[in-house]
Amino acid sequence: MPAVPAPRGGHSAEAAHPAVGAATGLLDAYTEGARFLATPTRTLLADGPAREVPHGESPLAQRVAETLAAARRDGQSNPVVIGAVPFDQSAPAALAVPEFVQDGPPLANDPLIALPADLPAETEWAMRPVPSPEVYGAGVAAVVERMWRGEFSKVVLARTLELTADAPLDLPVMLQRLARRDPSGYTFALPTGPDSNLIGASPELLVSRRGNKVVANPLAGSTPRSEDLAEDVRRAAALLASAKDLHEHAVVVDAVHGALAPYCTTLDVPAKPTLIRTATMWHLSTTVTGTLPEGSAASALELASALHPTPAVCGTPTLTARQVIAETEPFDRGFFTGMIGWGNADGDGEWVVTIRCAEAQERTLRLYAGAGVVAASEPESETAETAAKFRTFLHAVGAE
């Protein structure tokens, strides 16, 4: 891969006539084990030698800054870190500073992204839900009962779907199908260990920093899309008027405001949410914008670490919600509901909530989906919501 300057400041959506094929060319060039990340501001592809961010007791943002500084001392003019941070921030992250990074415009700005992706190869999939939908629903009911007793106000419960193929996985085709279905989102494929990759398409920006400007876009409150246009519009309108979902969303927005306020001189939080859509879901969305003081040393990753985990992926109060998750979910979340993204030595970067994803190993995919459970939740509705969220990845592998 040719040496290309690492990202600095980003391509704006108003970039003048980006080269046709510049972004999709990077998508086409992805091979398993490379690092690919597409956001609404840029498309990144890195391969080859990389300097791993070490695990340790010091804050993650400090270890990343030290790794970037070491890369700069060794001659990289503008090094960039790319990778994934797990749900449990005390667990080892999968972050690295590649020697070479190709930086292109956003996929959504490339006309060639409208071309259809190849169909996945004919594959026999063996599927195993963990836990079963019935056990998951029972877990939701038990959590709701505890909420009515006043123990806590929200917890996000997840379940997994394990898919085993009769042939080796084709990650480049999966990535193409994810990216071309939702090109305006956050699509990624990143190595997380030996022969292990994290791949997905998240709709949710945790936080970005560009200079002294900060943006967060919390999502909470969701409903599945419908293929019938009239029904799809009805569901969107119902979500926007749902007292349950509006309350769930407000809890998350308040938490984001509280986490960012100590860092910002100004912080704008809209009074009401709007809607965003993916190919499979409607979400309540609020865009929070802020300004850092001049000369602030707070990097995008430091801000992300202060925000994570938000009530959108964990619950509230946080410590209680984490304990309930550990007691209820029969698996380790790993990188699911952690964060993925990039950052440079100047502190700029984008960090995204790791949802709509799967962990891939040889012939096995483990899909993850979660739903926010509050006192008004119903087990059947939350089970259906997680099933709808699985559809993003099931479509990518042709296993819907």
Side-chain angles (χ1 to χ4, degrees):
M1 177 179 295
V4 178
R8 183 182 185 89
H11 296 271
S12 74
E14 295 77 32
H17 308 296
V20 171
T24 52
L26 297 181
L27 176 62
D28 295 341
Y30 168 78
T31 56
E32 184 173 335
R35 293 172 170 85
F36 180 90
L37 175 61
T39 80
T41 72
R42 63 191 349 109
T43 303
L44 301 175
L45 177 65
D47 203 351
R51 185 188 301 258
E52 303 290 334
V53 175
H55 185 55
E57 296 183 359
S58 59
L60 179 60
Q62 178 182 328
R63 284 181 276 130
V64 166
E66 290 168 353
T67 306
L68 288 166
R72 181 171 274 178
R73 286 195 302 272
D74 287 347
Q76 286 186 247
S77 61
N78 191 26
V80 60
V81 65
I82 305 175
V85 179
F87 174 65
D88 179 0
Q89 287 198 68
S90 66
L95 295 170
V97 179
E99 185 174 347
F100 304 118
V101 179
Q102 291 178 283
D103 181 6
L107 283 175
N109 288 11
D110 189 335
L112 297 185
I113 197 64
L115 296 176
D118 291 339
L119 293 174
E122 289 286 339
T123 304
E124 290 290 331
W125 293 100
M127 299 191 187
R128 184 172 76 97
V130 181
S132 69
E134 295 76 18
V135 171
Y136 178 78
V140 171
V143 165
V144 168
E145 182 178 344
R146 292 177 65 181
M147 288 180 185
W148 281 109
R149 295 202 299 263
E151 294 185 36
F152 46 88
S153 57
K154 177 186 176 180
V155 67
V156 177
L157 289 184
R159 63 189 183 104
T160 72
L161 187 61
E162 295 180 357
L163 276 63
T164 303
D166 62 352
L169 303 175
D170 191 337
L171 296 190
V173 168
M174 292 181 200
L175 184 66
Q176 287 274 350
R177 290 176 64 79
L178 289 167
R180 292 181 184 276
R181 199 177 192 203
D182 278 316
S184 61
Y186 301 86
T187 306
F188 53 90
L190 303 162
T192 53
D195 302 316
S196 180
N197 290 272
L198 182 70
I199 181 169
S202 174
E204 185 170 2
L205 173 68
L206 181 61
V207 68
S208 68
R209 176 193 142 162
R210 186 175 182 183
N212 68 340
K213 301 301 181 184
V214 173
V215 179
N217 183 207
L219 308 182
S222 307
T223 195
R225 302 284 306 275
S226 172
E227 293 182 0
D228 178 82
L229 178 59
E231 172 62 16
D232 195 45
V233 172
R234 188 200 67 77
R235 291 184 185 183
L239 178 62
L240 203 53
S242 166
K244 166 190 171 291
D245 291 288
L246 288 169
H247 172 70
E248 180 184 343
H249 187 80
V251 168
V252 177
V253 173
D254 286 347
V256 169
H257 178 274
L260 290 180
Y263 293 92
C264 295
T265 55
T266 65
L267 202 57
D268 179 49
V269 183
K272 295 181 179 180
T274 58
L275 289 170
I276 69 164
R277 63 186 177 185
T278 68
T280 58
M281 302 293 295
W282 285 104
H283 299 282
L284 292 177
S285 165
T286 295
T287 300
V288 178
T289 56
T291 305
L292 299 173
E294 290 299 327
S296 172
S299 68
L301 182 56
E302 181 177 343
L303 298 173
S305 298
L307 285 165
H308 177 71
T310 73
V313 298
C314 183
T316 186
T318 302
L319 292 179
T320 304
R322 292 188 75 123
Q323 183 61 38
V324 173
I325 288 169
E327 295 169 354
T328 309
E329 294 178 356
F331 55 85
D332 183 345
R333 287 192 178 187
F335 290 94
F336 172 63
T337 61
M339 49 191 180
I340 58 100
W342 69 272
N344 65 19
D346 295 327
D348 290 346
E350 297 171 281
W351 295 92
V352 180
V353 181
T354 312
I355 53 178
R356 310 296 188 276
C357 65
E359 291 188 356
Q361 285 186 308
E362 298 180 355
R363 301 188 180 196
T364 302
L365 286 171
R366 172 175 269 190
L367 282 57
Y368 296 86
V373 180
V374 294
S377 292
E378 298 176 350
E380 297 80 4
S381 296
E382 308 303 348
T383 304
E385 180 178 321
T386 52
K389 290 173 177 176
F390 282 139
R391 286 170 49 201
T392 295
F393 220 96
L394 291 175
H395 171 81
V397 301
E400 285 182 294

